[in-house]
Amino acid sequence: MGSEGEMARKPRFLCLHGFRTHATILKKQLTIKWSESVLQNLDLVFVDAPYPSEGKSEDFAEYKNFEQCLAYIEELMIKHAPMDGLLGFSHGAILPAGLSGLQSKVLALTRVPKIKFLITVGWTKFKAKLVVDDAYALPIQCPSLHFLAIPQY
């Protein structure tokens, strides 16, 4: 069991924004939509992506700087440790489940503790076969919460 201080700590999530947005926008999106009773029980760390978005938002079969992005996320998890989980919004939601799978196979996030929780808001998956085969080889190995938008026609 952990110390009393550790048990009282809120779970900390690294928050990954969507396509062509940034940390400030994601923070605003969550604080407007989520109840204060939820927000006060989470320690959310909002960060900006290291590279600008390129291409069309629906076409993610090729990844530029993929290894560098994985290393960047791992560095952020170390810098803001202890990090308990990942939260992804919109296109940023591609990463949490995929990274959890890559970490389970010891292919990513090898210098940080195992991801304990995932939250995805508006989820999709990696599409590049090279990543898909490893990222989704196993079911998600931790508690996860998924918010999906269902279009109304």
Side-chain angles (χ1 to χ4, degrees):
M1 291 202 93
S3 68
E4 187 175 312
E6 184 177 309
M7 290 172 42
R9 183 177 65 78
K10 299 177 198 177
R12 181 172 294 155
F13 286 82
L14 185 66
C15 300
L16 307 171
H17 62 79
F19 188 68
R20 295 195 174 130
T21 69
H22 50 77
T24 304
I25 290 174
L26 176 55
K27 184 174 184 176
K28 183 178 265 188
Q29 288 169 319
L30 292 183
T31 56
I32 288 171
K33 296 287 185 182
W34 286 13
S35 165
E36 184 61 32
S37 65
V38 172
L39 294 170
Q40 69 187 6
N41 287 295
L42 300 172
D43 182 2
L44 302 176
V45 177
F46 297 90
V47 297
D48 289 318
Y51 301 103
S53 298
E54 295 179 10
K56 296 177 182 176
S57 66
E58 68 279 348
D59 183 28
F60 288 106
E62 288 184 41
Y63 310 117
K64 294 182 182 178
N65 305 308
F66 186 68
E67 294 298 325
Q68 294 88 338
C69 288
L70 297 182
Y72 178 72
I73 290 170
E74 187 169 48
E75 287 300 321
L76 290 169
M77 292 178 78
I78 292 167
K79 177 181 177 181
H80 298 286
M83 193 61 64
D84 301 301
L86 298 173
L87 180 152
F89 185 87
S90 187
H91 289 87
I94 293 170
L95 290 164
L99 287 177
S100 174
L102 292 173
Q103 188 184 43
S104 293
K105 293 191 78 177
V106 194
L107 297 172
L109 308 180
T110 58
R111 299 183 302 136
V112 296
K114 189 171 179 172
I115 297 168
K116 296 177 188 172
F117 308 104
L118 301 176
I119 299 174
T120 64
V121 182
W123 187 71
T124 186
K125 294 169 58 172
F126 285 117
K127 295 179 182 174
K129 181 144 176 58
L130 182 64
V131 178
V132 167
D133 291 344
D134 290 321
Y136 308 117
L138 302 170
I140 294 173
Q141 302 290 308
C142 64
S144 61
L145 176 62
H146 306 273
F147 295 94
L148 303 174
I150 300 172
Q152 296 182 357
Y153 297 100

